[in-house]
Amino acid sequence: MSSSETPRTVEATVRHVPRYGVFMGIGVVLGIIAAAVLTFTGSFEESQALDVVYPPGQVFGFLLLWTVPIGLALGGVVALILERAGRRRDRVVRVERETIVESD
C-alpha cells in the first residue's frame, strides 16, 4: 500500500441521528396492538342499518387500515422531533483524512 497524497486535516460534524426505520417500525407494532385492543374491547352486535354482524377478524382488519398508518406516521414524527432535539449536541471535530491507493 502506498499513500497517494499527504494526510490533511479537515473538519467534520458528529451528529446523533435516530434510525427512522426503527421508530416507524415501533409505530407499526403499536398500531397493531391498538387494533387488537380495540377489536377485543368492542361489541359485536348486529348493525341497526345493515342487519349484519361483522366477525372479529374482519373488524381487526378494518382497524388495521387506520391504526397502522397512524402509528407509522407518529413514529416518524417522534424520530423527527428527536433529531431536531439532538442537533443541539452536534460537535465539529478535526480529523485527518488520508487516501490510500493499493497497487496490485
Side-chain angles (χ1 to χ4, degrees), residues 7-101:
R8 52 187 186 145
T9 304
V10 295
E11 289 185 352
T13 304
V14 178
R15 295 178 53 196
H16 298 281
V17 180
R19 297 187 184 267
Y20 288 95
V22 172
F23 280 92
M24 294 170 92
I26 291 171
V28 167
V29 169
L30 291 176
I32 292 170
I33 292 170
V37 167
L38 289 172
T39 299
F40 292 116
T41 59
S43 64
F44 298 102
E45 299 172 3
E46 187 172 320
S47 170
Q48 297 292 332
L50 301 175
D51 293 330
V52 293
V53 177
Y54 293 109
Q58 192 172 7
V59 172
F60 181 68
F62 286 145
L63 287 172
L64 283 177
L65 292 175
W66 285 95
T67 58
V68 168
I70 291 171
L72 184 73
L74 288 176
V77 167
V78 168
L80 279 173
I81 291 170
L82 289 176
E83 179 187 3
R84 300 285 182 193
R87 284 192 180 178
R88 291 183 224 149
R89 295 187 307 160
D90 288 355
R91 294 180 296 156
V92 177
V93 295
R94 293 183 181 269
V95 294
E96 285 190 17
R97 180 177 179 190
E98 183 177 23
T99 305
I100 299 176
V101 179

